[in-house]
Amino acid sequence: MPLHRALVEAGHVLTLVGRASAVRAVPAGLYDGVVSAEDHRNEPSRTIAPLVPVDIEHELAVVEQHFAGSAALTSAASVAPELHTADLLVCDELDFGAMAAAQRAGVPVVVVAVIASGALVRPGRLAAPLDRLRDELGLAELIRLHGDLFVVPFAPPMRDPLFPAPADTVWMRPAIGAAPRPDGSIVATLGTEFNTESGDLFDRILSALGSVDAPSVLAVGRDLDPARFSARREHVRVEQFVDLDALAARASVVVHHGGSGLFLSSVLGGAPQVVLPMGADQPFTARRVEGLGVGRALDAETASADDIAGAVASARADRALRTRTGALRLMTTRLPEPADVVDRIETALGSGRLR
């Protein structure tokens, strides 16, 4: 979003292409056009599926078989009609179909990282799936995973050292939000994708928050009715939606599932983290949280309410966690501004250095 806003402020006209459940939340006035396709998230589940053990091999296979397979073909078909009048495509690092469609149309591509650790997109494992995608789309050249310009809106240490960013990566400051003003509160969420696949984890988190003497809020997402979680203490609120960025800036601890966005929001809020990874990039995020010394990770399947409460209490009391989080926040705020990245894009386009 910061890059999109900066492009508009520089006078560019944007068309957004995405799934209906995501684009319904776009800010008014930012996009000249919105192209959406229906998806399963428009028919929300009211049930919570059992929690399954973390399976990293499965998550990598999802990238290869789904994101570089059926999802890529769907994305390419959605994006292709919009490329006839486009000067540039901006997409995330898992949108291989959009990348391929733009290359086929001769439109330059800016790829924006959305996985803080960088551990999901592995070129070696993606070679064969992307070759199949290229054949299906009739693209002669190899799909460029990092586009013509690769933009990363995370501080460099957030990335797993085993999966370094390319040497020519353009680092960009994310939206910073409010300065940290901790008031002792706790905020918890399991995001909007794995919230309905979390078994009894919400109940364990609520029990843990009830045993900690601090005002707390748990965000459960639009798929779930807060009323279903009735057994809770007066100092614990359950909501569908909250302003996580604002709450993180006041929190003493953020409890979350390990999504890259929550990792970043917690750092920008200056709050130590307790991470309960369930899938996707979350195990890799949990590894970075612990490796950077900005929080603690627990096994989402086996952690008891007492374990979670203990981790929260420990994180609240550990000043070193907040100090290290503050240092990482400062590093993030000093990254180049989105407007600077737009200048670089425009310069590269003007000189022909972007294809």
Side-chain angles (χ1 to χ4, degrees), residues 164-307:
D168 58 352
T169 290
V170 176
W171 303 93
M172 183 184 77
R173 191 185 74 182
I176 299 302
R181 297 182 183 277
D183 60 9
S185 60
I186 301 167
V187 59
T189 181
L190 296 179
T192 57
E193 294 290 339
F194 282 77
N195 57 331
T196 57
E197 303 174 21
S198 58
D200 68 343
L201 185 52
F202 276 128
D203 297 304
R204 284 180 277 144
I205 291 173
L206 279 171
S207 180
L209 296 178
S211 68
V212 178
D213 185 18
S216 305
V217 60
L218 172 66
V220 297
R222 73 179 180 91
D223 301 306
L224 301 174
D225 183 354
R228 70 181 292 156
F229 303 102
S230 57
R232 55 183 183 271
R233 302 288 183 88
E234 290 184 359
H235 66 275
V236 181
R237 293 188 295 118
V238 180
E239 306 282 355
Q240 283 190 313
F241 291 107
V242 296
D243 186 340
L244 289 167
D245 292 335
L247 291 179
R250 301 201 302 268
S252 60
V253 178
V254 176
V255 180
H256 65 93
H257 56 301
S260 291
L262 263 296
F263 178 26
L264 180 60
S265 292
S266 300
V267 169
L268 292 174
Q273 306 170 51
V274 173
V275 183
L276 295 149
M278 293 177 284
D281 62 322
Q282 300 160 25
F284 307 110
T285 301
R287 186 182 302 166
R288 292 312 299 140
V289 166
E290 290 207 317
L292 292 166
V294 296
R296 310 183 189 285
L298 298 174
D299 187 318
E301 185 186 20
T302 63
S304 67
D306 287 343
D307 293 333

Side-chain angles (χ1 to χ4, degrees), residues 8 20 24 26 28 38 41 56 97 103-105 113 117-118 134 170 178 183 188 201 217 251-252 260 296 299 310 316:
V8 170
R24 67 158 61 107
V26 300
E38 292 300 315
R41 298 296 292 187
I56 290 177
Q103 285 184 221
R104 185 176 59 185
S117 67
R134 183 181 59 164
V170 176
D183 60 9
L201 185 52
V217 60
S252 60
S260 291
R296 310 183 189 285
D299 187 318
R316 290 183 77 205

Side-chain angles (χ1 to χ4, degrees), residues 67-152:
F67 286 99
S70 58
L73 293 172
T74 299
S75 178
S78 298
V79 168
E82 308 303 319
L83 295 173
H84 299 299
T85 57
D87 298 309
L88 180 72
L89 173 83
V90 180
C91 67
D92 75 65
E93 63 182 312
L94 289 166
D95 199 349
F96 309 118
M99 298 174 202
Q103 285 184 221
R104 185 176 59 185
V107 174
V109 179
V110 171
V111 175
V112 181
V114 292
I115 306 300
S117 67
L120 273 188
V121 178
R122 303 187 181 188
R125 293 191 57 139
L126 283 167
L130 290 180
D131 278 344
R132 290 192 293 270
L133 176 63
R134 183 181 59 164
D135 290 342
E136 290 191 68
L137 294 177
L139 181 64
E141 60 183 344
L142 293 175
I143 297 172
R144 298 189 296 276
L145 288 177
H146 298 115
D148 299 291
L149 201 68
F150 186 54
V151 177
V152 178

